[in-house]
Amino acid sequence: MRHTPHFLMTDVDEVKRLVTGNPWATIVSHTDAGIVASHYPFLLEAPGPDEDPDEIVLVSHVGRPDEVAHELGRHEVLVVVQGPHGYVSPAWYPPEQFVPTWNHVTAHLWGTPELLSDDENFRVLGELVDHFERVMPEPVSLEIDEETARRMAKGTVGIRIRITRFDARAKLSQNKAPEVVDRIIAGLRGDGPYASPALADEMERAHAARADDREER
């Protein structure tokens, strides 16, 4: 990503929050055959009692033969997590500011995948289903028919990625005056063509945190 120090997101907990809220991610590999990209849901794996609580560990699965196409386990991969994003119109700026922009919250995370055993893969698959089903009125679980679920799971390969480094950005109009930020948020919460309540939420959260930091100083 473009080097923009004032938009850097360095707080590990904020990156974890981004992953949790936006689990559909892109995995990119630089293989002998060229660049390969796929899209899968990722979950954060909770640290064990003897593990670093600040470590970011992702778990997921790929459908066969993606593990071959990505050469998983042989080299580092990039996982791209995209949070709320959207066009910011200069209609929300003062007249002298006429250049639009695109606000976003994005993280690039690197690590070398570990291939999971069949049992671990099935456990992760179950956790993925349970994670997304928990908000349903009548959640469905793989335990409904474990034999069939295990048979279908053989078409997937589980992965664990311990993140060794990340580059995250929260570009949320931090370079704008408070009254302009308020207008942008109002525009994003409106009913216009570029309405984005989720992006408005991120902007409010970020600017509230900045205000708290200024007060503490």
Side-chain angles (χ1 to χ4, degrees):
M1 283 187 283
R2 179 185 173 199
H3 185 65
T4 48
H6 47 298
F7 298 143
L8 274 175
M9 188 163 62
T10 58
D11 187 333
V12 170
D13 287 338
E14 283 296 288
V15 175
K16 288 183 176 182
R17 184 181 69 87
L18 178 65
V19 174
T20 300
N22 304 273
W24 184 249
T26 302
I27 179 171
V28 183
S29 301
H30 187 188
T31 72
D32 290 342
I35 302 296
V36 177
S38 298
H39 313 275
Y40 289 99
F42 282 84
L43 294 181
L44 287 172
E45 186 171 67
D50 299 323
E51 294 180 327
D52 182 357
D54 288 333
E55 185 179 27
I56 300 174
V57 182
L58 306 179
V59 289
S60 186
H61 69 283
V62 299
R64 298 183 188 274
D66 265 7
E67 86 283 7
V68 176
H70 281 271
E71 301 174 350
L72 294 180
R74 289 175 49 185
H75 49 64
E76 187 177 62
V77 300
L78 165 66
V79 178
V80 181
V81 178
Q82 178 68 71
H85 63 94
Y87 179 76
V88 176
S89 170
W92 302 328
Y93 295 166
E96 68 277 8
Q97 298 178 21
F98 56 87
V99 178
T101 193
W102 201 281
N103 279 358
H104 65 95
V105 187
T106 309
H108 292 177
L109 307 101
W110 288 268
T112 301
E114 165 197 347
L115 301 186
L116 303 183
S117 67
D118 289 345
D119 284 341
E120 269 199 299
N121 179 39
F122 188 73
R123 176 182 60 79
V124 169
L125 287 170
E127 290 174 355
L128 279 162
V129 172
D130 292 345
H131 175 79
F132 294 109
E133 281 290 318
R134 63 187 177 179
V135 297
M136 296 298 291
E138 298 181 12
V140 176
S141 168
L142 295 185
E143 294 177 359
I144 289 175
D145 185 349
E146 184 174 332
E147 182 179 349
T148 298
R150 284 187 177 276
R151 186 167 62 250
M152 295 180 68
K154 292 180 180 179
T156 69
V157 176
I159 57 174
R160 174 182 292 111
I161 307 177
R162 297 185 182 277
I163 301 305
T164 56
R165 58 193 172 99
F166 66 82
D167 182 10
R169 296 286 190 280
K171 181 180 177 295
L172 299 168
S173 299
Q174 293 95 324
N175 56 338
K176 296 296 182 182
E179 63 273 16
V180 178
V181 170
D182 290 342
R183 289 181 61 182
I184 296 170
I185 291 172
L188 292 170
R189 291 207 183 282
D191 57 2
Y194 298 113
S196 177
L199 183 56
D201 289 344
E202 286 293 326
M203 287 188 62
E204 283 186 341
R205 192 174 188 278
H207 286 275
R210 290 184 72 202
D212 290 342
D213 288 343
R214 286 194 294 268
E215 288 179 4
E216 290 177 0
R217 291 173 192 160

